[in-house]
Amino acid sequence: MQTPPTPLDETRRLRSLHSLRILDSAPEDRFDRITRMVKRMFDIDICLVSLVDSNRQWFKSRQGLDVCETSREISFCGHAIIEDRPFIIEDTLEDPRFADNPLVTGEPHIRFYAGHPVHGPGGHRIGTLCLIDRLPRTFSQTDVEMLKDFAALVDDELATNSEINVDELTKVANRRGFVMVAEHLLPVCERNNLAVEILFFDLDGFKKINDVHGHQAGDKALNFFANLLLKSFRKADVVARLGGDEFVVLLAAEHLNSNRGLKEMDKRAARETDEIYRLVRWSVGKVPYDPDQHENIETLLSDADLRMYSNKTLKKKSFA
């Protein structure tokens, strides 16, 4: 087994990592939504945001793995941070550096590894976004480009204070956080022929909830609706509160089925017995992303917003 070499900028690299004060912090959805999305898009066993400390690698986000850290001495990511390019091992048993590594011969039985460095202040390579599988696999140039795109998204999150991108009340992404994710995701999906769809939600009669039951009840309704979206759609889908009583869900996959999430919302809402929760109703506009029609995420949002208002207007007429 070959232990990872020490980067030439190790002192500055560690100073950059520690300045973020992120080691041993609680899980955050802004990182987890990236690893969930990457795991699904690559159809991989494990996806990690791994940060390489002085003697360990610690996982800020992990999908498909129970442990939160391993020794740096046996880490793959320790090798991946040496150069600013993807580090790919298509079959560990064919590579003498890793064939007898404890992470190969024992759990999690790594046979494939692909990692791309992620960066802290000053551009230092502080860790990786990495993919792990228990079977060997090939990794195309298209795969490499997609991994680089998602690693850049992790870079953006590392460079941004979490409060800026998260809605204070509901703890889902706010408009800024949503736009940042979507701006990275749309070109990735376009290059890889993945379908994208946006659902734009607006609560019906929300002002009445505030006026009759008070603003605390209004906050309760907003939290309920945010959780309803999170529970009804897939974990890899991006849920955000744009502001007020407006929410969005962004779906990306080879084959989309947003109707399944909408039906699940109806089922879950129908089972609620809480007085405030039962008052929550919504209108929704659904729009597939078309690069010929949608110049950017804002034009896509605008289109979905118009569809939502059409839905709301139609409902008002039916109840008139």
Side-chain angles (χ1 to χ4, degrees):
M1 184 193 80
Q2 184 181 106
T3 59
T6 302
L8 296 176
D9 64 343
E10 179 71 354
T11 300
R12 294 189 297 275
R13 192 192 69 78
L14 288 174
R15 189 180 299 128
S16 174
L17 171 61
H18 296 158
S19 72
L20 293 173
R21 299 183 180 179
I22 197 173
L23 291 170
D24 300 308
S25 60
E28 296 180 68
D29 188 62
R30 62 192 181 117
F31 292 104
D32 289 344
R33 67 173 172 251
I34 297 172
T35 52
R36 287 194 300 262
M37 200 180 307
V38 172
K39 183 177 184 294
R40 178 167 57 83
M41 287 191 172
F42 282 97
D43 190 23
I44 205 85
D45 289 334
I46 297 168
C47 182
L48 308 168
V49 173
S50 174
L51 302 177
V52 182
D53 201 1
S54 56
N55 58 8
R56 61 172 176 158
Q57 60 172 356
W58 177 79
F59 309 131
K60 175 58 182 172
S61 179
R62 62 188 192 274
Q63 307 295 329
L65 188 68
D66 292 331
V67 299
C68 62
E69 65 178 62
T70 66
S71 167
R72 180 175 175 177
E73 187 176 43
I74 61 173
S75 73
F76 283 64
C77 297
H79 293 268
I81 63 170
I82 299 302
E83 296 184 355
D84 208 6
R85 62 179 183 178
F87 184 76
I88 315 294
I89 308 295
E90 294 188 336
D91 188 348
T92 58
L93 295 185
E94 299 296 324
D95 192 314
R97 296 172 297 175
F98 300 103
D100 59 347
N101 186 296
L103 299 177
V104 174
T105 59
E107 287 293 335
H109 297 288
I110 299 173
R111 284 294 299 276
F112 167 84
Y113 173 92
H116 193 285
V118 296
H119 305 83
H124 299 286
R125 296 183 290 276
I126 61 172
T128 72
L129 173 66
C130 67
L131 312 175
I132 292 171
D133 208 280
R134 296 180 177 91
L135 294 173
R137 58 189 290 170
T138 57
F139 207 65
S140 69
Q141 186 57 40
T142 300
D143 293 331
V144 169
E145 293 302 320
M146 195 188 311
L147 179 60
K148 288 170 64 176
D149 286 333
F150 281 113
L153 187 53
V154 175
D155 282 351
D156 285 345
E157 292 294 355
L158 288 169
T160 305
N161 188 302
S162 62
E163 283 82 13
I164 296 175
N165 291 334
V166 176
D167 178 58
E168 185 177 356
L169 175 65
T170 62
K171 305 307 179 187
V172 297
N174 59 18
R175 186 183 187 98
R176 184 183 188 281
F178 172 77
V179 169
M180 188 171 74
V181 171
E183 285 180 342
H184 277 275
L185 186 59
L186 290 183
V188 171
C189 292
E190 187 178 350
R191 281 198 300 272
N192 292 279
N193 296 315
L194 297 174
V196 177
E197 193 169 62
I198 191 167
L199 303 179
F200 194 114
F201 295 88
D202 185 85
L203 300 189
D204 299 332
F206 179 68
K207 184 177 184 299
K208 187 176 180 180
I209 296 177
N210 276 329
D211 292 345
V212 175
H213 299 276
H215 288 283
Q216 188 172 1
D219 288 349
K220 182 177 178 181
L222 292 170
N223 270 312
F224 164 71
F225 191 72
N227 284 314
L228 183 63
L229 293 174
L230 291 170
K231 292 175 182 177
S232 300
F233 290 90
R234 300 167 306 177
K235 289 183 177 181
D237 298 329
V238 183
V239 175
R241 180 189 177 199
L242 297 186
D245 58 349
E246 294 180 338
F247 291 80
V248 291
V249 178
L250 185 71
L251 304 92
E254 189 172 353
H255 302 289
L256 295 175
N257 189 359
S258 56
N259 287 333
R260 181 168 53 191
L262 292 170
K263 290 177 181 178
E264 183 65 21
M265 290 179 68
D266 291 335
K267 289 180 184 178
R268 288 179 176 273
R271 292 196 296 263
E272 290 295 339
T273 58
D274 186 280
E275 177 188 7
I276 300 302
Y277 295 168
R278 292 188 66 82
L279 294 174
V280 176
R281 299 287 187 272
W282 58 87
S283 298
V284 59
K286 180 169 64 171
V287 177
Y289 169 60
D290 182 346
D292 293 329
Q293 296 185 29
H294 303 118
E295 181 181 350
N296 51 38
I297 185 60
E298 293 295 345
T299 56
L300 181 59
L301 280 172
S302 179
D303 197 357
D305 190 12
L306 290 173
R307 297 274 184 96
M308 181 276 296
Y309 273 107
S310 295
N311 178 237
K312 189 182 288 285
T313 301
L314 186 64
K315 288 166 66 178
K316 286 180 179 179
K317 288 181 178 178
S318 67
F319 284 106

